[in-house]
Coordinates of all heavy atoms in Angstrom, one line a residue:
M154 N 78.3 109.8 86.3 CA 79.1 108.9 87.2 C 78.6 107.5 87.0 O 77.5 107.2 86.9 CB 78.8 109.4 88.7 CG 79.5 108.4 89.7 SD 79.0 108.6 91.4 CE 79.6 110.2 91.8
K155 N 79.6 106.6 87.0 CA 79.3 105.2 87.0 C 79.8 104.5 88.3 O 80.9 104.9 88.7 CB 80.0 104.5 85.8 CG 79.3 105.0 84.5 CD 79.9 104.3 83.3 CE 79.2 104.7 82.0 NZ 79.8 104.1 80.8
L156 N 79.1 103.6 88.9 CA 79.5 103.0 90.1 C 80.0 101.6 89.8 O 79.6 100.9 88.9 CB 78.3 102.9 91.0 CG 77.6 104.2 91.4 CD1 76.4 103.9 92.3 CD2 78.6 105.1 92.1
V157 N 81.0 101.2 90.6 CA 81.5 99.8 90.6 C 81.4 99.2 92.0 O 81.4 99.9 93.0 CB 83.0 99.8 90.1 CG1 83.2 100.3 88.7 CG2 83.9 100.5 91.1
D158 N 81.3 97.9 92.0 CA 81.2 97.2 93.2 C 82.6 96.7 93.6 O 83.1 95.9 93.0 CB 80.2 96.0 93.0 CG 80.1 95.2 94.3 OD1 80.7 95.5 95.3 OD2 79.3 94.2 94.3
L159 N 83.1 97.3 94.7 CA 84.5 97.0 95.1 C 84.6 95.6 95.6 O 85.7 95.0 95.7 CB 84.9 98.0 96.2 CG 85.2 99.4 95.8 CD1 85.5 100.3 97.0 CD2 86.3 99.5 94.8
E160 N 83.5 94.9 96.0 CA 83.5 93.6 96.5 C 83.4 92.5 95.4 O 83.6 91.3 95.6 CB 82.4 93.4 97.5 CG 82.7 94.2 98.8 CD 81.5 94.3 99.7 OE1 80.4 93.6 99.4 OE2 81.5 95.0 100.7
Q161 N 83.1 93.0 94.1 CA 82.9 92.0 93.0 C 84.2 91.3 92.7 O 85.3 92.0 92.7 CB 82.4 92.8 91.8 CG 82.2 91.8 90.6 CD 81.8 92.6 89.4 OE1 81.5 93.8 89.4 NE2 81.7 91.9 88.2
K162 N 84.2 90.0 92.5 CA 85.4 89.2 92.1 C 85.5 89.3 90.6 O 84.6 89.1 89.9 CB 85.2 87.8 92.6 CG 85.1 87.6 94.1 CD 86.4 87.9 94.8 CE 86.3 87.6 96.3 NZ 87.5 88.0 97.0
V163 N 86.8 89.5 90.2 CA 87.1 89.5 88.8 C 88.4 88.7 88.5 O 89.2 88.5 89.4 CB 87.3 91.0 88.3 CG1 86.1 91.8 88.3 CG2 88.4 91.7 89.1
F164 N 88.5 88.2 87.3 CA 89.7 87.5 86.9 C 90.7 88.4 86.2 O 90.3 89.1 85.3 CB 89.4 86.3 86.0 CG 88.7 85.2 86.7 CD1 87.3 85.1 86.7 CD2 89.4 84.2 87.4 CE1 86.7 84.0 87.4 CE2 88.8 83.2 88.1 CZ 87.4 83.1 88.1
I165 N 91.9 88.5 86.7 CA 92.9 89.4 86.1 C 94.0 88.5 85.4 O 94.6 87.6 86.1 CB 93.6 90.2 87.2 CG1 92.5 91.1 87.9 CG2 94.7 91.1 86.6 CD1 91.8 92.0 87.0
P166 N 94.3 88.7 84.1 CA 95.4 88.0 83.5 C 96.7 88.5 83.9 O 96.9 89.7 84.0 CB 95.1 88.2 82.0 CG 94.3 89.5 81.9 CD 93.6 89.6 83.2
I167 N 97.6 87.6 84.3 CA 99.0 88.0 84.7 C 100.0 87.4 83.8 O 99.8 86.2 83.4 CB 99.2 87.4 86.2 CG1 98.2 87.9 87.2 CG2 100.7 87.8 86.6 CD1 98.3 89.4 87.5
V168 N 100.9 88.2 83.3 CA 102.0 87.7 82.5 C 103.3 87.5 83.3 O 103.7 88.4 84.0 CB 102.3 88.7 81.3 CG1 103.4 88.2 80.4 CG2 101.1 88.9 80.5
D169 N 103.8 86.2 83.3 CA 104.9 85.9 84.1 C 106.2 85.9 83.2 O 106.4 85.0 82.4 CB 104.8 84.5 84.7 CG 105.9 84.2 85.7 OD1 106.9 84.9 85.7 OD2 105.7 83.3 86.5
E170 N 106.9 87.1 83.3 CA 108.1 87.2 82.4 C 109.2 86.2 82.7 O 109.9 85.8 81.9 CB 108.6 88.6 82.5 CG 107.7 89.8 82.1 CD 107.3 89.7 80.6 OE1 108.0 89.0 79.8 OE2 106.4 90.4 80.3
S171 N 109.2 85.7 84.0 CA 110.3 84.8 84.4 C 110.0 83.4 83.8 O 110.9 82.5 83.8 CB 110.4 84.7 85.9 OG 109.2 84.0 86.4
K172 N 108.8 83.2 83.2 CA 108.5 81.9 82.6 C 108.2 82.1 81.1 O 107.2 81.5 80.6 CB 107.3 81.3 83.3 CG 107.7 80.8 84.8 CD 106.6 80.1 85.5 CE 107.0 79.7 86.9 NZ 105.9 79.3 87.7
G173 N 108.9 83.0 80.5 CA 108.8 83.3 79.1 C 107.5 83.9 78.7 O 107.0 83.7 77.5
G174 N 106.9 84.7 79.5 CA 105.7 85.4 79.2 C 104.4 84.5 79.3 O 103.4 84.8 78.8
A175 N 104.6 83.4 80.1 CA 103.4 82.6 80.3 C 102.3 83.4 81.1 O 102.6 84.2 81.9 CB 103.8 81.4 81.2
T176 N 101.1 83.2 80.7 CA 100.0 83.9 81.3 C 99.1 83.0 82.2 O 99.0 81.8 81.9 CB 99.1 84.6 80.3 OG1 98.5 83.6 79.4 CG2 99.8 85.6 79.4
Y177 N 98.6 83.5 83.2 CA 97.7 82.8 84.1 C 96.7 83.8 84.6 O 96.9 85.1 84.5 CB 98.4 82.0 85.1 CG 99.2 82.8 86.1 CD1 98.7 83.2 87.3 CD2 100.5 83.2 85.8 CE1 99.5 84.0 88.2 CE2 101.3 84.0 86.6 CZ 100.7 84.4 87.8 OH 101.5 85.2 88.7
E178 N 95.6 83.4 85.2 CA 94.7 84.3 85.8 C 94.6 84.2 87.3 O 94.8 83.1 87.8 CB 93.3 84.0 85.2 CG 93.1 84.4 83.8 CD 91.6 84.2 83.3 OE1 90.9 83.3 83.8 OE2 91.2 85.0 82.5
V179 N 94.4 85.3 88.0 CA 94.2 85.3 89.4 C 92.8 86.0 89.6 O 92.4 86.9 88.9 CB 95.3 86.1 90.2 CG1 96.6 85.4 90.1 CG2 95.4 87.5 89.7
Q180 N 92.1 85.5 90.6 CA 90.8 86.1 91.0 C 91.0 87.0 92.2 O 91.7 86.6 93.2 CB 89.8 85.0 91.3 CG 88.4 85.6 91.5 CD 87.4 84.5 91.8 OE1 87.7 83.5 92.4 NE2 86.1 84.8 91.5
M181 N 90.5 88.2 92.1 CA 90.6 89.2 93.2 C 89.4 90.1 93.1 O 88.7 90.1 92.1 CB 91.9 89.9 93.1 CG 92.2 90.7 91.9 SD 93.8 91.6 91.9 CE 95.0 90.3 91.8
S182 N 89.2 90.8 94.2 CA 88.1 91.8 94.2 C 88.5 93.0 93.5 O 89.7 93.3 93.3 CB 87.7 92.1 95.7 OG 88.7 92.9 96.3
V183 N 87.5 93.8 93.1 CA 87.8 95.1 92.4 C 88.7 96.0 93.4 O 89.6 96.7 92.9 CB 86.5 95.8 92.0 CG1 86.8 97.2 91.5 CG2 85.8 94.9 90.9
A184 N 88.4 95.9 94.7 CA 89.1 96.7 95.7 C 90.6 96.3 95.6 O 91.5 97.1 95.7 CB 88.6 96.5 97.1
E185 N 90.9 95.0 95.5 CA 92.2 94.5 95.5 C 92.9 94.9 94.2 O 94.1 95.2 94.2 CB 92.3 92.9 95.6 CG 91.9 92.5 97.0 CD 91.6 91.0 97.1 OE1 91.1 90.4 96.1 OE2 91.9 90.4 98.2
V186 N 92.2 95.0 93.1 CA 92.7 95.4 91.8 C 93.2 96.9 92.0 O 94.3 97.2 91.6 CB 91.7 95.3 90.7 CG1 92.2 96.0 89.4 CG2 91.4 93.9 90.4
F187 N 92.4 97.7 92.6 CA 92.8 99.1 92.8 C 94.0 99.2 93.7 O 94.9 100.0 93.4 CB 91.7 99.9 93.4 CG 90.7 100.4 92.3 CD1 89.4 99.9 92.4 CD2 91.0 101.2 91.3 CE1 88.4 100.3 91.4 CE2 90.1 101.6 90.3 CZ 88.8 101.2 90.4
E188 N 94.1 98.4 94.8 CA 95.2 98.4 95.7 C 96.5 98.0 94.9 O 97.6 98.6 95.1 CB 95.0 97.4 96.8 CG 94.2 98.0 97.9 CD 93.9 96.9 99.0 OE1 94.8 96.1 99.3 OE2 92.9 96.9 99.6
K189 N 96.4 96.9 94.1 CA 97.6 96.3 93.5 C 98.1 97.1 92.3 O 99.3 97.3 92.1 CB 97.3 94.9 93.1 CG 98.4 94.1 92.6 CD 98.0 92.6 92.5 CE 99.2 91.8 91.9 NZ 100.3 91.5 92.9
F190 N 97.2 97.6 91.5 CA 97.6 98.2 90.2 C 97.5 99.7 90.1 O 98.0 100.3 89.2 CB 96.8 97.5 89.1 CG 97.0 96.1 88.9 CD1 95.9 95.2 89.3 CD2 98.2 95.5 88.5 CE1 96.1 93.8 89.2 CE2 98.3 94.1 88.4 CZ 97.3 93.3 88.7
F191 N 96.8 100.3 91.1 CA 96.6 101.7 91.1 C 97.0 102.3 92.4 O 96.2 103.1 93.0 CB 95.1 102.1 90.7 CG 94.7 101.6 89.4 CD1 94.1 100.4 89.3 CD2 94.9 102.3 88.2 CE1 93.7 99.9 88.0 CE2 94.5 101.8 87.0 CZ 93.9 100.6 86.9
E192 N 98.2 102.0 92.9 CA 98.6 102.4 94.2 C 98.3 103.9 94.5 O 98.8 104.7 93.8 CB 100.1 102.2 94.4 CG 100.5 100.7 94.3 CD 102.0 100.5 94.1 OE1 102.7 101.5 94.4 OE2 102.4 99.4 93.6
G193 N 97.6 104.1 95.5 CA 97.4 105.5 95.9 C 96.5 106.3 95.0 O 96.4 107.5 95.1
N194 N 96.0 105.7 94.0 CA 95.2 106.4 93.0 C 93.9 105.8 92.8 O 93.4 105.5 91.7 CB 96.0 106.4 91.6 CG 95.4 107.4 90.6 OD1 94.7 108.3 91.0 ND2 95.7 107.1 89.4
T195 N 93.2 105.6 93.9 CA 91.9 105.0 93.9 C 90.8 106.0 93.7 O 91.0 107.2 94.0 CB 91.6 104.2 95.2 OG1 91.8 105.1 96.3 CG2 92.6 103.1 95.4
P196 N 89.7 105.6 93.1 CA 88.6 106.6 92.8 C 87.9 106.9 94.1 O 88.1 106.3 95.1 CB 87.7 105.8 91.9 CG 87.9 104.4 92.2 CD 89.4 104.3 92.6
E197 N 87.2 108.0 94.0 CA 86.4 108.4 95.2 C 85.4 107.3 95.5 O 84.8 106.7 94.6 CB 85.6 109.7 94.8 CG 84.7 110.2 96.0 CD 83.9 111.4 95.5 OE1 84.0 111.8 94.4 OE2 83.1 111.9 96.4
I198 N 85.3 107.0 96.8 CA 84.4 105.9 97.2 C 83.1 106.5 97.8 O 83.1 107.3 98.7 CB 85.1 105.0 98.3 CG1 86.3 104.3 97.6 CG2 84.1 104.0 98.9 CD1 87.1 103.5 98.6
V199 N 82.0 106.0 97.3 CA 80.7 106.4 97.8 C 80.0 105.1 98.2 O 80.2 104.0 97.6 CB 79.8 107.2 96.8 CG1 80.4 108.5 96.5 CG2 79.5 106.4 95.6
E200 N 79.2 105.1 99.2 CA 78.5 103.9 99.6 C 77.1 104.0 99.0 O 76.4 105.0 99.1 CB 78.4 103.7 101.1 CG 79.7 103.4 101.7 CD 79.6 102.9 103.2 OE1 78.6 102.4 103.5 OE2 80.6 103.1 103.9
A201 N 76.6 102.9 98.4 CA 75.3 102.9 97.8 C 74.6 101.6 98.1 O 75.3 100.6 98.2 CB 75.4 103.1 96.3
V202 N 73.3 101.6 98.2 CA 72.6 100.4 98.3 C 71.5 100.3 97.3 O 71.0 101.4 96.9 CB 71.9 100.2 99.7 CG1 73.0 100.1 100.8 CG2 71.0 101.4 100.0
P203 N 71.1 99.2 96.8 CA 70.0 99.1 95.8 C 68.7 99.7 96.4 O 68.5 99.5 97.6 CB 69.9 97.6 95.6 CG 71.1 97.0 96.1 CD 71.6 97.8 97.2
V204 N 68.0 100.3 95.6 CA 66.7 100.9 96.1 C 65.6 99.8 96.1 O 65.4 99.2 95.0 CB 66.3 102.1 95.2 CG1 64.9 102.6 95.7 CG2 67.3 103.2 95.3
V205 N 64.9 99.6 97.2 CA 63.8 98.7 97.2 C 62.6 99.5 97.0 O 62.4 100.5 97.6 CB 63.7 97.9 98.6 CG1 62.5 97.1 98.7 CG2 65.0 97.1 98.9
H206 N 61.8 99.0 96.1 CA 60.5 99.7 95.7 C 59.3 99.0 96.3 O 59.4 97.7 96.4 CB 60.3 99.9 94.2 CG 61.4 100.7 93.6 ND1 61.3 102.0 93.4 CD2 62.6 100.3 93.1 CE1 62.4 102.5 92.8 NE2 63.2 101.5 92.6
G207 N 58.3 99.7 96.7 CA 57.2 99.0 97.3 C 55.9 99.9 97.1 O 56.0 101.0 96.5
R208 N 54.9 99.5 97.7 CA 53.7 100.3 97.7 C 52.9 100.0 99.0 O 53.1 98.9 99.7 CB 52.8 100.0 96.5 CG 52.2 98.5 96.5 CD 51.3 98.3 95.4 NE 50.6 97.1 95.5 CZ 51.0 95.9 95.1 NH1 52.2 95.8 94.4 NH2 50.4 94.8 95.3
W209 N 52.0 100.9 99.4 CA 51.2 100.7 100.5 C 50.0 99.9 100.1 O 49.3 100.3 99.2 CB 50.8 102.0 101.2 CG 51.9 102.7 101.8 CD1 52.4 103.9 101.5 CD2 52.7 102.3 103.0 NE1 53.4 104.3 102.3 CE2 53.6 103.3 103.2 CE3 52.6 101.1 103.8 CZ2 54.5 103.1 104.3 CZ3 53.6 101.0 104.8 CH2 54.5 102.0 105.0
V210 N 49.7 98.8 100.7 CA 48.5 98.0 100.4 C 47.5 98.2 101.4 O 47.7 97.9 102.6 CB 48.9 96.5 100.3 CG1 47.7 95.6 99.9 CG2 50.0 96.2 99.3
R211 N 46.3 98.7 101.0 CA 45.2 99.0 102.0 C 44.7 97.7 102.6 O 44.6 96.7 101.9 CB 44.1 99.7 101.2 CG 43.1 100.4 102.1 CD 42.0 101.1 101.3 NE 42.5 102.1 100.3 CZ 42.7 103.3 100.6 NH1 42.4 103.8 101.8 NH2 43.1 104.2 99.7
Q212 N 44.5 97.7 103.9 CA 44.1 96.5 104.6 C 42.6 96.3 104.8 O 42.0 97.2 105.4 CB 44.8 96.4 106.0 CG 46.3 96.3 105.9 CD 46.7 95.0 105.2 OE1 46.6 94.0 105.7 NE2 47.2 95.2 103.9
N213 N 42.1 95.3 104.3 CA 40.7 94.9 104.5 C 39.7 96.0 104.5 O 38.9 96.1 105.4 CB 40.6 94.0 105.8 CG 41.4 92.7 105.7 OD1 41.5 92.2 104.6 ND2 41.8 92.3 106.8
G214 N 39.7 96.8 103.6 CA 38.7 97.9 103.4 C 38.9 99.0 104.4 O 38.2 100.0 104.4
S215 N 39.9 99.0 105.3 CA 40.2 100.0 106.2 C 40.7 101.2 105.5 O 41.6 101.1 104.6 CB 41.2 99.6 107.3 OG 41.6 100.8 108.0
A216 N 40.2 102.4 105.8 CA 40.6 103.6 105.1 C 42.0 104.1 105.5 O 42.7 104.8 104.8 CB 39.6 104.7 105.3
F217 N 42.4 103.6 106.7 CA 43.7 104.2 107.3 C 44.7 103.2 107.7 O 45.7 103.5 108.4 CB 43.3 105.0 108.5 CG 42.3 106.1 108.2 CD1 41.0 106.0 108.7 CD2 42.7 107.2 107.5 CE1 40.1 107.0 108.4 CE2 41.8 108.2 107.2 CZ 40.5 108.1 107.6
V218 N 44.5 101.9 107.3 CA 45.5 100.9 107.7 C 46.1 100.4 106.4 O 45.4 99.9 105.5 CB 45.0 99.7 108.5 CG1 46.1 98.7 108.9 CG2 44.3 100.3 109.8
F219 N 47.5 100.5 106.3 CA 48.2 100.0 105.1 C 49.3 99.1 105.5 O 49.8 99.1 106.6 CB 48.8 101.2 104.3 CG 47.8 102.2 103.9 CD1 47.4 103.3 104.7 CD2 47.2 102.1 102.6 CE1 46.4 104.2 104.3 CE2 46.2 103.0 102.2 CZ 45.9 104.1 103.1
K220 N 49.7 98.2 104.5 CA 50.8 97.3 104.8 C 51.8 97.5 103.7 O 51.5 97.6 102.5 CB 50.3 95.8 104.7 CG 51.3 94.8 105.2 CD 50.7 93.4 105.4 CE 50.7 92.7 104.1 NZ 50.2 91.3 104.2
C221 N 53.1 97.5 104.1 CA 54.2 97.7 103.2 C 54.3 96.4 102.3 O 54.4 95.3 102.9 CB 55.5 97.9 103.9 SG 57.0 97.8 102.9
S222 N 54.3 96.5 101.0 CA 54.4 95.4 100.1 C 55.8 94.7 100.1 O 55.9 93.6 99.8 CB 54.0 95.7 98.7 OG 55.0 96.6 98.1
A223 N 56.8 95.4 100.7 CA 58.1 94.9 100.7 C 58.4 94.1 101.9 O 59.0 93.0 101.9 CB 59.1 96.0 100.5
C224 N 57.9 94.5 103.1 CA 58.3 93.8 104.4 C 57.1 93.4 105.2 O 57.2 92.7 106.2 CB 59.2 94.7 105.2 SG 58.4 96.1 106.0
G225 N 55.9 93.9 104.9 CA 54.7 93.5 105.6 C 54.4 94.4 106.8 O 53.4 94.2 107.5
F226 N 55.2 95.4 107.0 CA 55.0 96.4 108.1 C 53.7 97.1 108.0 O 53.3 97.5 106.9 CB 56.1 97.4 108.1 CG 56.0 98.5 109.2 CD1 56.3 98.3 110.5 CD2 55.5 99.8 108.8 CE1 56.2 99.2 111.4 CE2 55.4 100.8 109.7 CZ 55.7 100.5 111.1
K227 N 52.9 97.1 109.1 CA 51.6 97.8 109.0 C 51.7 99.2 109.5 O 52.4 99.4 110.5 CB 50.5 96.9 109.8 CG 50.1 95.7 109.0 CD 49.0 95.0 109.7 CE 48.6 93.7 108.9 NZ 47.7 92.9 109.6
F228 N 51.0 100.0 108.9 CA 51.1 101.5 109.1 C 49.6 102.0 109.2 O 48.8 101.7 108.3 CB 51.9 102.1 108.0 CG 51.8 103.6 108.0 CD1 52.7 104.4 108.8 CD2 50.9 104.3 107.2 CE1 52.6 105.7 108.8 CE2 50.9 105.7 107.1 CZ 51.7 106.4 107.9
A229 N 49.3 102.7 110.3 CA 48.0 103.3 110.4 C 48.1 104.8 110.4 O 48.9 105.4 111.1 CB 47.3 102.8 111.7
G230 N 47.4 105.5 109.6 CA 47.4 106.9 109.5 C 46.7 107.5 108.3 O 46.5 106.7 107.3
A231 N 46.4 108.7 108.4 CA 45.7 109.4 107.2 C 46.7 109.8 106.2 O 46.4 109.9 105.0 CB 44.9 110.6 107.7
E232 N 48.0 110.1 106.7 CA 49.0 110.5 105.7 C 49.9 109.3 105.3 O 50.3 108.5 106.2 CB 50.0 111.5 106.4 CG 49.3 112.8 106.8 CD 49.1 113.7 105.6 OE1 50.0 113.8 104.8 OE2 48.1 114.4 105.5
I233 N 50.0 109.1 104.0 CA 50.8 108.0 103.6 C 52.3 108.4 103.3 O 52.5 109.4 102.6 CB 50.3 107.4 102.2 CG1 48.8 106.9 102.5 CG2 51.1 106.3 101.7 CD1 48.2 106.3 101.3
A234 N 53.2 107.7 104.0 CA 54.6 108.1 103.9 C 55.2 107.7 102.5 O 54.8 106.7 101.9 CB 55.4 107.4 105.0
N235 N 56.2 108.4 102.1 CA 56.9 108.1 100.8 C 57.9 106.9 101.0 O 58.3 106.3 100.0 CB 57.7 109.3 100.3 CG 56.7 110.4 99.9 OD1 55.6 110.1 99.4 ND2 57.2 111.6 100.0
Y236 N 58.3 106.6 102.2 CA 59.2 105.5 102.5 C 58.6 104.7 103.6 O 58.0 105.2 104.6 CB 60.6 106.1 102.9 CG 61.4 106.7 101.8 CD1 61.2 108.1 101.5 CD2 62.2 106.0 101.0 CE1 61.8 108.7 100.5 CE2 62.9 106.6 100.0 CZ 62.7 107.9 99.7 OH 63.4 108.5 98.7
C237 N 58.9 103.4 103.6 CA 58.5 102.5 104.7 C 59.4 102.8 105.9 O 60.6 102.8 105.8 CB 58.6 101.1 104.3 SG 58.3 99.9 105.7
P238 N 58.8 103.2 107.1 CA 59.7 103.5 108.3 C 60.4 102.2 108.8 O 61.3 102.3 109.6 CB 58.7 104.0 109.3 CG 57.4 103.5 108.9 CD 57.4 103.3 107.4
N239 N 59.9 101.0 108.4 CA 60.6 99.8 108.9 C 61.7 99.3 108.0 O 62.8 99.1 108.5 CB 59.5 98.7 109.0 CG 60.0 97.4 109.6 OD1 60.6 97.5 110.7 ND2 59.9 96.3 109.0
C240 N 61.5 99.2 106.7 CA 62.5 98.6 105.8 C 63.1 99.7 104.9 O 64.1 99.4 104.2 CB 61.9 97.5 105.0 SG 60.8 97.9 103.7
G241 N 62.5 100.9 104.8 CA 63.1 101.9 103.9 C 62.7 101.8 102.5 O 63.2 102.6 101.7
A242 N 61.8 100.9 102.1 CA 61.3 100.8 100.7 C 60.8 102.1 100.3 O 60.1 102.8 101.0 CB 60.3 99.7 100.6
K243 N 61.1 102.5 99.0 CA 60.6 103.7 98.4 C 59.2 103.4 97.9 O 59.0 102.5 97.0 CB 61.5 104.1 97.3 CG 61.2 105.5 96.7 CD 62.2 105.9 95.7 CE 61.9 107.2 95.1 NZ 62.8 107.6 94.1
M244 N 58.2 104.1 98.4 CA 56.8 103.8 98.0 C 56.5 104.6 96.7 O 55.7 105.6 96.8 CB 55.9 104.1 99.2 CG 56.2 103.3 100.4 SD 56.2 101.6 100.0 CE 56.1 100.8 101.6
D245 N 57.0 104.1 95.6 CA 56.7 104.8 94.4 C 55.8 104.0 93.4 O 55.7 104.3 92.3 CB 58.0 105.3 93.7 CG 58.9 104.1 93.4 OD1 58.6 103.0 93.8 OD2 60.0 104.4 92.9
R246 N 55.3 102.9 94.0 CA 54.3 102.2 93.2 C 53.0 102.6 93.7 O 52.8 102.8 94.9 CB 54.6 100.7 93.3 CG 56.0 100.3 92.9 CD 56.0 99.0 92.2 NE 57.3 98.9 91.5 CZ 58.2 98.0 91.8 NH1 58.0 97.1 92.8 NH2 59.3 97.9 91.1
S247 N 52.0 102.7 92.9 CA 50.7 103.3 93.3 C 50.0 102.4 94.3 O 50.1 101.1 94.3 CB 49.8 103.5 92.1 OG 49.6 102.3 91.4
A248 N 49.3 103.0 95.3 CA 48.7 102.2 96.4 C 47.5 101.4 95.8 O 46.9 101.8 94.8 CB 48.1 103.2 97.4
K249 N 47.4 100.2 96.3 CA 46.3 99.3 95.9 C 45.1 99.4 96.8 O 45.3 99.5 98.0 CB 46.9 97.9 95.9 CG 46.4 97.1 94.7 CD 47.1 95.7 94.8 CE 46.9 94.9 93.5 NZ 47.5 93.6 93.6
K250 N 43.9 99.4 96.3 CA 42.7 99.6 97.1 C 42.2 98.2 97.6 O 42.5 97.2 97.0 CB 41.6 100.3 96.3 CG 42.0 101.7 96.1 CD 41.0 102.5 95.3 CE 41.4 103.9 95.1 NZ 40.6 104.6 94.2
Ligands
ZN374 ZN1 58.7 98.0 104.5

């Protein structure tokens, strides 16, 4: 599967037959392209967001206090979560001592 951004602006060449085939460009979003040129035949829409990656940074020698490298949220506990509960960053970078 390949994803497209429906909000991305693109330039579409238009041929004006009434002016002898003169061409010009219009700017529209990818969503507008689907509406205009593919009436009723739009692809399946899924919502996606970029994945933010981070790591838990150990605080001042404390064994149980960590800070999210993405948003600064502090977390205290013996179990380290795979995601930041504050910003949702995926904690797949190794923890720093
Ligand atoms: Zn965070």
Side-chain angles (χ1 to χ4, degrees):
M154 176 194 293
K155 292 184 179 178
L156 301 177
V157 297
D158 182 355
L159 291 176
E160 295 168 3
Q161 182 183 351
K162 297 289 187 183
V163 293
F164 287 97
I165 302 297
I167 303 291
V168 178
D169 189 344
E170 297 296 347
S171 70
K172 292 182 180 168
T176 61
Y177 60 97
E178 287 186 329
V179 294
Q180 187 179 27
M181 58 179 70
S182 70
V183 172
E185 291 168 328
V186 171
F187 279 115
E188 278 177 34
K189 188 170 177 71
F190 300 107
F191 300 92
E192 297 166 18
N194 191 21
T195 56
E197 180 184 2
I198 294 174
V199 296
E200 289 193 29
V202 293
V204 176
V205 175
H206 296 270
R208 66 173 189 273
W209 291 117
V210 180
R211 197 181 301 273
Q212 294 299 286
N213 295 332
S215 168
F217 304 109
V218 181
F219 300 89
K220 189 169 88 175
C221 171
S222 66
C224 74
F226 176 78
K227 286 187 180 170
F228 169 84
E232 295 282 324
I233 297 177
N235 293 330
Y236 290 87
C237 173
N239 186 53
C240 73
K243 186 177 182 183
M244 298 307 193
D245 56 358
R246 303 216 164 116
S247 57
K249 220 178 193 178
K250 292 179 181 170

